[in-house]
Amino acid sequence: MARRTITLIPGDGIGPEVAAAAVRVLSATGLDLEWETVPAGAGAIGEHGSPLPDHVLESIRRTKVALKGPTETPVGTGHRSVNVELRKRLDLFANLRPVRSLPGVKSRYEGVDLVVVRENTEDLYSGLEHVVVPGVVESLKIITERASARIARFAFEHARAHGRQRVTAVHKANIMKLSDGLFLECCRAAAKGYPDVRYDEMIVDNASMQLVLDPTRFDVLLLPNLYGDIVSDLCAGLVGGLGMAPGANLGEELAVFEAVHGSAPDIAGKNRANPIALVLSASLMLDHLSEGDAARRVRAAVDAVLSGGEKMTPDLGGTAGTTEVAEAIASHLAGPAGG
Ligand code: NAD
């Protein structure tokens, strides 16, 4: 392919370590990639006066695609989430999080292969909170027909395009009859346009239990923003933890690829972070760039390294560092089996 420029946001905490690892792995694919590195997150505030400087948005609007490390959001006070802001300002309405069992990774489950499709722009993440009177706060859950119909169509299109059989809408419309009720109505309406894909519904608490009992029963999960956030981490836990869970934020034209995990301040700077979640996010990015062959080779190299069992980070019970795992995946890609 012709040279492709990609915006790179290393982010905070373990972000720069896993971002460097992903760049190293992609360099071994042989693709001609140019990285435009821009700062975002808590670390950007000192130099740029904002956790999301304008030139970050400008870069993504120009390159149309970004690979992003996690960014820190203070709890309770401080700046608003860079992720929420990015998703809203670039209209990255769909959050796609494939969850699959990987070889060699200890987990209670085998054969997990599901996809979480999370609405990414509204719900309780609208950031509309205020104090009504001292001691009483209100947080507004916004659900619109436009966003719900759009994410529902996205889930069915994704199912159809990837040979998936079933879409399960996850909700709490027994309690939030209007908001989750509208979300469900939109899912049902979308389902009618895809008679080849099975459609069903599950209340979020039951869905959480069913996922823990037997995640192999699920195929595509379709959720509003908050449930999607929580269920994604739950699903990451089903296949070995946050170090293994990739993700993509997709809009009509722009896309930002990032792992499900956060900045992991407890292990930052120690070369202990598992880079596989971001490496797999990068492989989703290659699919998006119509480099399906390179994407498959990256996933095969990850599988090969995990099957070998030697180069695993501490979260998977190993002793290898972030850089060693990245090198192992890169060597596999560059070697005869990966090439
Ligand atoms: P976290 O995902 O950062 O960490 C949770 C646990 O998982 C920690 O024990 C951590 O060490 C471990 N972990 C996470 N990623 C790992 C990896 N790649 N390898 C090995 N272990 C890993 O969640 P948190 O502690 O709740 O959040 C920390 C910060 O990250 C907060 O500021 C939060 O707002 C932010 N965050 C950012 C994003 C994002 O940028 N997309 C997502 C979630 C959280």
Side-chain angles (χ1 to χ4, degrees):
M1 77 170 183
R3 167 168 289 202
R4 191 65 215 228
T5 305
I6 297 164
T7 302
L8 180 70
I9 303 173
D12 299 315
I14 60 170
E17 298 165 70
V18 291
V23 168
R24 170 70 189 102
V25 169
L26 290 204
S27 74
T29 61
L31 296 174
D32 190 5
L33 303 175
E34 179 185 50
W35 299 95
E36 190 168 297
T37 305
V38 291
I45 298 176
E47 195 179 332
H48 302 275
S50 159
L52 185 58
D54 282 344
H55 68 274
V56 175
L57 296 168
E58 184 276 319
S59 171
I60 301 172
R61 287 194 179 106
R62 184 163 33 75
T63 63
K64 312 237 181 296
V65 62
L67 184 65
K68 176 184 169 295
T71 43
E72 193 184 305
T73 312
V75 174
T77 57
H79 66 265
R80 289 178 57 171
S81 160
V82 166
N83 302 312
V84 172
E85 214 50 27
L86 256 183
R87 293 165 190 170
K88 280 210 267 192
R89 292 192 50 193
L90 300 177
D91 198 22
L92 303 169
F93 68 90
N95 194 326
L96 182 74
R97 294 175 159 181
V99 180
R100 74 177 170 111
S101 300
L102 290 167
V105 177
K106 276 194 217 108
S107 156
R108 289 191 184 85
Y109 309 97
E110 277 174 23
V112 180
D113 180 13
L114 59 86
V115 176
V116 176
V117 174
R118 164 187 172 195
E119 201 288 324
N120 224 4
T121 59
E122 54 179 30
D123 194 354
L124 278 160
Y125 290 66
S126 305
L128 300 171
E129 290 192 309
H130 57 266
V131 176
V132 180
V133 289
V136 182
V137 296
E138 207 168 55
S139 215
L140 299 183
K141 168 163 167 142
I142 308 291
I143 299 285
T144 65
E145 186 178 345
R146 176 177 176 268
S148 303
R150 187 158 70 155
I151 195 67
R153 271 197 310 275
F154 175 92
F156 282 100
E157 282 295 328
H158 182 85
R160 191 178 262 176
H162 294 84
R164 292 192 172 267
Q165 312 295 318
R166 175 177 162 219
V167 171
T168 305
V170 177
H171 67 93
K172 191 78 187 173
N174 50 331
I175 306 297
M176 280 158 277
K177 294 178 193 294
L178 287 183
S179 54
D180 282 17
L182 174 58
F183 179 78
L184 272 192
E185 259 176 48
C186 295
C187 295
R188 287 173 192 163
K192 290 202 174 87
Y194 300 83
D196 48 319
V197 181
R198 249 179 77 204
Y199 170 71
D200 60 6
E201 299 166 354
M202 210 175 272
I203 295 177
V204 63
D205 32 359
N206 180 31
S208 306
M209 181 199 66
Q210 302 287 350
L211 276 163
V212 172
L213 282 179
D214 182 7
T216 63
R217 292 183 49 225
F218 291 90
D219 200 349
V220 178
L221 297 171
L222 166 59
L223 314 93
N225 208 340
L226 177 64
Y227 312 145
D229 194 1
I230 298 168
V231 167
S232 298
D233 271 38
L234 186 155
C235 288
L238 303 173
V239 295
L242 283 167
M244 310 300 291
N249 300 290
L250 305 168
E252 302 291 354
E253 223 197 328
L254 309 178
V256 174
F257 295 82
E258 66 176 336
V260 173
H261 66 72
S263 58
D266 50 337
I267 55 168
K270 297 181 178 159
N271 197 30
R272 286 172 65 91
N274 186 344
I276 288 177
L278 194 63
V279 167
L280 292 175
S281 307
S283 84
L284 294 176
M285 181 180 79
L286 295 180
D287 280 325
H288 174 81
L289 295 173
S290 304
E291 292 294 340
D293 179 53
R296 274 187 296 278
R297 286 195 291 123
V298 169
R299 287 191 280 271
V302 167
D303 285 3
V305 167
L306 288 171
S307 305
E310 282 160 29
K311 302 291 181 197
M312 294 221 192
T313 41
D315 57 309
L316 299 181
T319 54
T322 311
T323 45
E324 271 177 89
V325 174
E327 276 313 318
I329 300 170
S331 334
H332 200 276
L333 263 170

